[in-house]
Amino acid sequence: MRVSVGVKCLLRRRGYWQSQSRGMKHYTVKDGKSWNSLLCMYSSHGLLERVFQCYASCINSAHLPDQFTFAITLSACAKLENVELGRAVHCCVIKRGLESSSFCQGALIHLYAKCHSLTCARTIFDAASSPHFDTVSWTALISGYVQGGLPEEALHIFDKMRNSGPGGYPIPDQVAFVTVLNAYISLGKLDDACQWFEQMQIPTRNVVAWNVMISGHAKRGHYKEAVAFFHQMSKHGVKSSRSTLASVLSAIASLATLDHGLLVHAQAIKQGFESSIYVASSLINMYGKCEMLDAARQVFDAIPHKNTIVWNTMLGVYSQNGYLSNVMELFLDMTAWGVHLDEFTYTSILSSCACFEYLEIGRQLHSTIIKKRFTSNLCINNALIDMYAKAGALKEASKQFEHMTHRDHISWNAIVVGYVQEEEETGAFSLFRRMNLHGIVPDEVSLASILSACGNVKVLAAGQQFHCLSVKLGLETNLFAGSSLIDMYSKCGAIQDACKIYSSMPERSVVSMNALIAGYALKNTKEAINILHEMQILGLKPSEITFASLIDVCKGYPKVILGMQIHCATVKRGLLCGSEFLGTSLLGMYMDSQRLADANILFAEFSNLKSTIMWTALISGHTQNQCCDEALNLYQEMRDNNILPDQATFVTVLRACALLSSLHDGREIHSLIFHTGFDLDELTCSALVDMYAKCGDVKSAVQVFEELAIKKDVISWNSMIVGFAKNGYAESALKVFDEMTQSCITPDDVTFLGVLTACSHAGWVYEGRQIFDVMVNYYGIEPRVDHYACMVDLLGRWGFLKEAEEFIDKLEVEPSAMIWANLLGACRIHGDEKRGQRAAKKLIKLEPQNSSPYVLLSNMYAASGNWDEARSLRRTMIQKDIQKMPGCSWIVVGQKTNLFVVGDISHPSYDEISQALKHLTALIKDSRFQDDGIAQVG
C-alpha cells in the first residue's frame, strides 16, 4: 500500500519519515505480525516516538497494516494526545476498510475521548452495529465525558453499557468503576456513588477509588463522611497516597477536629509524606483551622523546598486567625527569598488588611498590584473591593468596582456587603437591583446582606419581597439566608414571622437560634432565655454572640442580676478568656447599670488583653457616669501602657474634658490627635470643637472647625453652632447655620436646638419663631421636649410670658419638668407671681423632691417683698426633707482638679485658701478701691 500524502507529510513534518530508515536499519521485518510485535514492544515500553517511526517504515514497505497495527498506533497517538496525527491514521483505517473493526473502533474512541474530541468519539460509538466494545472503549468514552465536564452524558453511556443485552455487557474493571464514581461525584449524586462503590469487590477498591470517595464527599461539604471513608480505607489495609492524606486533612480542617488531624499527621510521617508539598500544605491549613498556629509554623519551617503554594497557605493561616503582623512579616520574607507572588498571595494579604481595617497598607499593596500588572485579575480585584469596603472606604471600593471590565457574583457580593456594613442601605439596594439587571443570580451571601439592610432600616415590605425571592431561589431554608430572614423579621417587630422561618428550617443551628434570641431579647427576655435552654438541650454550644445579645439588654436593676448570671456562665464555659467582644459587652452592662466597681474588677481580670476597644469602653463608662476625673486618669494609664487611642477613644476622653471644663487636658489630647493623624477625622474634630467651646475657648474651636477639610457630617456643623450658641455668639451661630444649608448639609434636630438656643441667648424672638416654623413645616422634624423647652425659654426670657404660657397650653404632648422650669425661671426674672405659682405647682407635681421650684418661687416672693410666702415655702422644704443641692466649683492646678462645695472644709489646703479669701474680701471692702479696680493714690 502506498502511504497517503497527508500521513506522509505529517510524518515528515514530525521527523519520523526521515528517521525511520535509521531506526529500522538493524531490523529485517518479514511479515505483518513482526511489525505488530515490534510496535507493541515500543508502546509497552513507552517509546512512543519509536512507535511512529516503526509505523512509518511499515506503511512505506510492501506490508499492509492490519487492524492491530492501526490500534497500536492510535493508542500511541492517544497517549501523546496527538489528535492531528490520529486523524491521519483514521483516514488510513477508512481507506483500508477497517473502520468496522472492533479493535480500530475501540482505539479511535479512546483517541478522540482522550483528546477531548467527544463528538468524533460519540459518532464512532453510535455508528457501531452493536455496542460490543471491550471495557476499555466504554471506559474511554465515559471518562472523556467526565473530563469534558459532561457527567450526565457519561452516566447515559454507562446506562447504555449496562443495558446492552446478554453477552454485550462487559465486566467493569477498576478503571471503569472509578470513572463511573467520578461521574456520580461530579453530579453531586453521592448516594448513587456510595451504592456503586459498595458493588465493587473489596480487593478491587484500590487507593484511587477510595480517594474519589474521600475527596468527593469533602468537596461537597460532607466532611464527617469523608473522614469515615478514610477510616474504612485504613481498616481494609489500603495504603494512603498523598492525595488521600491531603483530601482527608481538608475535611478535618473544615471540622476543626484536632484529634483526627494529629492521627493523620502521624500517618504522613510514618509514610514519609510530611515533606511533600501537597500534604504539608494540607497540614498547615488543618492546624490553622484548629487555631494551632505554632504547629502550623513548625510544619512550614520543616519543608526544605517551599513553593508559592506553601507560602500562600501559611499566609492564609495567619490571615484567617487575625495575625496581621505575622502576615506582613511572612510577606516580607517571601519577597526577600525571591518567591514568586501570585494572585493568592495578594488576596491573603488584602484579606488581612480588610479584617483589621489597615487601609493604608492596603493602598500600598494596591500600588504594587498595579506595578505588577495584576489589575485585570478577577480574584485580586474582588479582594481589593472587599478590603476597601470593609475598611469603610466605600468611595474607593466603588471606584474599583466600576473600573472592572468583568465581574462575577463575588464582586457584587463584596460591594453589597460593604455598603450594608457601613449602613449605606440605599446604596446597597441600588447595587442589588443592578446585579439582577446584569443577570447575576443572587446567592445566600447577597440575599443575607440585603435582608440585613432591610432589618437595619426596618422596611418590612421590602424584606418580604426579598423573602419571596429567597423562596423562588430555594434559599429560604439556607443557613445564612434563613438566619438573615429571622433577623430581618425580628428587627421589624414581626417576631411571629421570625418564629415561622425558624420552625421551617430543616435543622437547628447556633446562627439561626442566635438571630431569634436577639429578636426576643429586646421585648421578651424570658423567651430569649428559653431559646438559650433549647439550644443547650439540642447539644449546640452557645457562642459569644448568643451571650452578647442577652448581655446587651441586661442593663439597670433588676436585669443586671440576670446579666451577672450570664457573666458567670461565660466564665464557666471559658468563653470570656481572651474574648474582647464579650468583655466589652459586659463592661457596657456594668457601666450602664452604674456598677463601676464591678466593671473595674472585670477589666482588671483581662491582664493580657487590654485592647484599645476595652480601654475606650471603660473610659466611656466612667464619663457617662459623671466620673470624668477617673476617666482622664484611665486615659493616662492607657497611654502609660503604650496603647494608642483611636477615634472612639479621643471622642470619649474629649467629652470628659468638656464636662470638666479641663482645657489643659484637652489641649494635650489635641496635640496627640495631631501627631496621630486624627486631625483629619471629622468626628474627632467635631469632639475637639465641642470641647473647646464648652471650655470657653471659642477661638480655638473656630480654628479647628475652619481647618477641617471635610465637613460632610452634620455632627461637625452642630458642634460649631452649639458652641457659638452656648457662649453667646448668636450671630456667628446663625452664620454657620446658613453656611451649612448652602453646603447642602441637611440640618437635624440637634442643629435646630443649637440655633434656637442662640436666639434665646441673644433675644431674637422673631428669628426664633421663624426657625421653629422652618424646622417643623419645611424640614418635617418632630420637635423634642428640648425644642419646646427652648421656645418657652426664648419667649419667657424676653418678656413674652403670655405667649410662652399659651405655647405650653397648645402642646399636644404633656409638658415636661424642663418646660415648666424654664417658664418658672422667666417668671422670676420678670416678677410674674401668678404664672410663676402655676409653673411651680406643675414642677413640684412632676418632681416632688426637686428643690429648684421651691427656691425660685421663694426668691420671687422675696424680691416682691412677700416674705410670709417665702418663709412658708422654706418651711415646706424642711418638712418634706427637700435638700437644695449645694453649689460647687473647681479649678485645675497642674495635673490635679480641685473641687469646692459650699460648706465643705475637707480640702487639704483649706486654711491657706481661707486666709487668701479673707485677704481678698478685705481688699474688696477697702474704700481706696474703686469700681474699676484701680486704687486711688494719696
Side-chain angles (χ1 to χ4, degrees), residues 125 131 138 142 151-165 168-170 180 183-184 187 189 192 196:
F125 179 87
W138 286 98
I142 293 170
E152 299 96 336
E153 200 60 37
L155 290 178
H156 175 71
I157 296 296
F158 175 62
D159 290 336
K160 189 173 182 179
M161 170 184 169
R162 290 199 293 183
N163 299 324
S164 58
Y169 176 22
V180 175
Y184 281 129
L187 287 171
K189 296 183 176 181
D192 292 332
W196 182 243

Side-chain angles (χ1 to χ4, degrees), residues 745-759:
I745 305 295
T746 304
D748 61 8
D749 53 344
V750 178
T751 315
F752 283 104
L753 186 62
V755 177
L756 288 171
T757 301
C759 293

Side-chain angles (χ1 to χ4, degrees), residues 144-352:
Y145 276 119
V146 172
Q147 291 172 4
L150 298 168
E152 299 96 336
E153 200 60 37
L155 290 178
H156 175 71
I157 296 296
F158 175 62
D159 290 336
K160 189 173 182 179
M161 170 184 169
R162 290 199 293 183
N163 299 324
S164 58
Y169 176 22
I171 299 171
D173 59 9
Q174 285 183 333
V175 178
F177 265 111
V178 172
T179 303
V180 175
L181 277 178
N182 264 320
Y184 281 129
I185 293 292
S186 298
L187 287 171
K189 296 183 176 181
L190 298 182
D191 291 338
D192 292 332
C194 290
Q195 289 177 12
W196 182 243
F197 185 74
E198 289 299 322
Q199 290 180 32
M200 293 180 69
Q201 293 181 0
I202 292 176
T204 63
R205 296 178 190 171
N206 62 4
V207 67
V208 179
W210 286 102
N211 285 351
V212 169
M213 296 303 291
I214 293 168
S215 64
H217 281 80
K219 288 175 182 176
R220 293 279 172 175
H222 296 263
Y223 308 117
K224 290 181 180 178
E225 290 80 0
V227 175
F229 272 110
F230 173 75
H231 289 313
Q232 286 182 42
M233 174 183 170
S234 299
K235 286 179 182 177
H236 285 91
V238 180
K239 196 173 182 180
S240 303
S241 67
R242 292 177 178 85
S243 298
T244 316
L245 297 178
S247 296
V248 76
L249 282 169
S250 172
I252 291 168
S254 299
L255 293 170
T257 50
L258 182 61
D259 292 342
H260 287 109
L262 291 170
L263 290 172
V264 175
H265 190 176
Q267 186 166 336
I269 294 171
K270 188 177 179 180
Q271 292 185 227
F273 289 153
E274 74 275 12
S275 297
S276 161
I277 295 294
Y278 195 27
V279 175
S281 298
S282 300
L283 280 168
I284 293 167
N285 178 57
M286 181 274 295
Y287 281 123
K289 291 290 176 65
C290 295
E291 299 180 5
M292 298 287 291
L293 271 69
D294 289 340
R297 187 60 192 247
Q298 285 176 9
V299 174
F300 174 80
D301 290 337
I303 302 170
H305 304 290
K306 304 177 183 70
N307 64 3
T308 305
I309 295 171
V310 176
W311 284 93
N312 286 346
T313 306
M314 195 67 232
L315 271 177
V317 165
Y318 280 135
S319 175
Q320 292 159 15
N321 286 276
Y323 287 77
L324 180 65
S325 59
N326 297 81
V327 170
M328 300 312 298
E329 183 182 339
L330 202 64
F331 174 65
L332 292 174
D333 288 344
M334 285 183 77
T335 54
W337 283 93
V339 180
H340 171 68
L341 307 180
D342 62 11
E343 59 187 84
F344 301 106
T345 313
Y346 287 111
T347 51
S348 290
I349 303 169
L350 288 169
S351 175
S352 296

